[in-house]
Amino acid sequence: MVQQEHIEKEKVADTDHELLNLLKQRYSPRIFSDQELREEEMQTLFEAARWSASSNNWQPWRFIYAHKGSDTYDKIAECLGEFNQSWATNAPVLMLSAYKKTNPEGKENFHALHDLGMCLGTMAIQAEHMGIALHHMAGLDWKKAHNIFKVPEEYHITTGIAVGYYGGTLSDLPEKLQEAEVAKRKRKPQEEFAFKNEWRTI
Ligand SMILES: Cc1cc2nc3c(=O)[nH]c(=O)nc-3n(C[C@H](O)[C@H](O)[C@H](O)COP(=O)(O)O)c2cc1C
């Protein structure tokens, strides 16, 4: 079995340029400490989301969250795909993120998904500062989530998010996920996405 103490060292991003520690250290764990998240900490995370930028200041983000041991937590877990269910219930809190598809005039808000992503980026950095990790999950049955939580048509449930303090033990994971948990993080080089002066298709 892979040793736990390797995790933090391996997970700090090997960046090409010096970055804030909060950015280098953030990663998406599949194990979490047993430490509970208090309501005040959840409110701090949502406060970070609240002060994010958004198109026309429409703030289209929405969240449903629940603590482990509650019926709602189990309902959120039930909406996750099988793979995500195999690890996400290690987290003390599960959330669903959603965005409002329409603007106050009822027309499409084309930038709503952008704004949800941006607010989650803001929340992730606040969380990192508090020693808390967010692990986003596209692998969920969003239609099931809409039905269970009676979410109106003008909203779209986008991701599940496992939230908890960094920590936990590798043996909390199925064997085949343990290797990935300690693997070095990788990224594309900047040349593949940041184009000076002209578009490049790669
Ligand atoms: C929108 C989104 C959806 C994701 N969906 C899943 C998922 O369903 N299951 C999972 O295990 N990880 C998921 N991830 C986590 C990514 O795999 C992870 O962020 C990526 O591999 C980079 O790793 P890092 O966050 O540790 O740097 C998702 C991340 C994002 C932002």
Side-chain angles (χ1 to χ4, degrees):
M1 210 230 286
V2 201
Q3 290 304 301
Q4 169 82 42
E5 54 266 28
H6 293 309
I7 292 184
E8 286 196 7
K9 181 163 64 69
E10 291 300 330
K11 286 297 177 176
V12 174
D14 183 11
T15 59
D16 292 344
H17 300 269
E18 199 42 46
L19 294 182
L20 296 175
N21 284 339
L22 292 178
L23 298 175
K24 291 202 291 194
Q25 288 162 6
R26 184 216 59 81
Y27 71 99
S28 305
R30 295 195 175 96
I31 51 176
F32 299 88
S33 152
D34 286 339
Q35 192 178 341
E36 245 309 328
L37 284 167
R38 289 174 301 139
E39 215 42 41
E40 192 188 324
E41 285 145 359
M42 293 308 299
Q43 285 164 9
T44 302
L45 298 183
F46 292 123
E47 193 66 12
R50 182 173 171 234
W51 288 99
S52 179
S54 65
S55 174
N56 282 290
N57 202 13
W58 281 327
Q59 306 161 59
W61 46 77
R62 301 289 186 276
F63 299 96
I64 307 171
Y65 71 100
H67 294 266
K68 198 170 190 162
S70 65
D71 287 349
T72 314
Y73 182 99
D74 295 341
K75 282 183 190 164
I76 295 176
E78 206 186 301
C79 297
L80 301 176
E82 211 176 307
F83 170 76
N84 288 328
Q85 280 175 353
S86 76
W87 61 266
T89 47
N90 288 329
V93 167
L94 287 177
M95 303 205 280
L96 292 171
S97 79
Y99 65 90
K100 190 168 194 283
K101 296 190 285 185
T102 50
N103 69 19
E105 290 167 3
K107 299 199 175 111
E108 184 194 3
N109 177 6
F110 180 75
H111 295 98
L113 181 57
H114 172 284
D115 294 344
L116 172 62
M118 181 135 174
C119 106
L120 282 168
T122 307
M123 188 193 287
I125 300 310
Q126 176 64 38
E128 189 66 32
H129 176 66
M130 298 159 73
I132 294 168
L134 310 182
H135 193 140
H136 310 276
M137 295 170 281
L140 94 159
D141 184 340
W142 62 267
K143 288 185 183 160
K144 189 173 178 177
H146 268 249
N147 282 333
I148 289 180
F149 291 102
K150 300 183 175 44
V151 178
E153 225 282 300
E154 66 267 31
Y155 297 85
H156 180 54
I157 299 242
T158 315
T159 54
I161 309 171
V163 190
Y165 281 96
Y166 286 101
T169 51
L170 276 175
S171 55
D172 293 341
L173 285 177
E175 194 103 357
K176 56 180 194 281
L177 291 184
Q178 294 184 13
E179 200 83 12
E181 191 64 16
V182 292
K184 203 170 153 64
R185 296 168 56 226
K186 292 189 193 138
R187 288 298 189 268
K188 292 175 182 174
Q190 289 191 19
E191 301 72 61
E192 290 190 21
F193 66 86
F195 311 135
K196 191 168 184 179
N197 296 333
E198 58 181 22
W199 180 261
R200 288 172 62 205
T201 298
I202 293 180

